[in-house]
Each structure stands twice: as structure tokens, then as C-alpha cells.
Amino acid sequence: YFDPGSNTINIFSDDLAIALHEAGHALDFMRAEYKGTYALLRLLPPVTLFQEYKASEEAVTHLAEVGKAREECSAHEILHPAFGSYVGGYIPFPGTAFAGAAVGHVTGRVTAHNCRDALRARERTP
């Protein structure tokens, strides 16, 4: 997780997508003009979802920019379920965080599959 108070990233995983997602939070926060307000607004569900989306987008974009296409494809399988659990967690019914993660798993796997298909097509093209 990214802690804006101490400006530190704490990572308890060896997954590159997770590390880059947290770095995406740090980058997003660094770009904020009113850092304290931006950090406090995280208490509001729409802002949290927006910040989570931006951090994941930053991770995937970075992987694409540095030419790590396979890791870019795999990142979707990790980041979509996490985002889905956030979305589901804000719906006030039992099990919705689980349902959101399940939907995220489906969208993440479909996106990763399509990404890998596009990668294979690029590799076949001379």
C-alpha cells in the first residue's frame, strides 16, 4: 500500500503489477496540487475508485511503455479482481465484495487473453 502521510510504499508481494500499482498511487499523489485534500477525499467511494483505477492504469501503461508485454497482459489478471473487490465492497449487501472480485477475475482473464492474442499476432508479423 501507498502511505501518503509518510510518502512510502509498502509491498508484501513479489508481483510486479502490484508493485507498479502502488507506485502508480505515489505518482498520482505526487501530481496532486492539494495533497492533503486529495488524501482526505480518498474516504469517498467514488474518489477511492478513481484513484485505484488511475494506479492500475499507470501500472499497465508503464509495462507497455518499457516493452514488458507479457507482464502487461498478466497484470490484468491481478489488477481487475482487486478493483472489482473495491467496487463490490461499496455496495451495501453481503457478499458483494466477493461478487465484485469474481467479476474482476472474469474481466481480467478476458482482457489478458485478448492482450496475449494481440501479442502473438504482433510476434507473427514480420
Side-chain angles (χ1 to χ4, degrees):
Y1 65 92
F2 170 66
D3 180 353
S6 63
N7 198 30
T8 58
I9 297 171
N10 298 280
I11 300 172
F12 304 98
S13 172
D14 62 352
D15 189 277
L16 181 58
I18 293 171
L20 289 173
H21 170 90
E22 296 309 325
H25 279 301
L27 185 61
D28 181 36
F29 185 74
M30 180 191 74
R31 290 175 177 159
E33 186 172 349
Y34 301 102
K35 292 175 181 16
T37 302
Y38 194 62
L40 277 175
L41 286 174
R42 184 160 175 88
L43 298 172
L44 302 173
V47 176
T48 300
L49 295 176
F50 175 71
Q51 290 176 354
E52 289 300 324
Y53 175 80
K54 283 181 71 174
S56 291
E57 254 325 281
E58 191 65 45
V60 171
T61 299
H62 176 78
L63 289 167
E65 287 175 354
V66 298
K68 295 207 172 274
R70 283 178 174 49
E71 292 86 348
E72 174 192 354
C73 295
S74 295
H76 295 289
E77 294 174 326
I78 298 294
L79 299 175
H80 282 233
F83 185 77
S85 70
Y86 273 105
V87 172
Y90 287 120
I91 300 171
F93 295 106
T96 54
F98 174 77
V103 170
H105 273 286
V106 171
T107 64
R109 290 185 189 284
V110 168
T111 304
H113 176 76
N114 292 340
C115 180
R116 288 183 184 108
D117 281 351
L119 177 59
R120 282 190 287 274
R122 282 195 310 259
E123 289 172 348
R124 284 190 297 248
T125 305

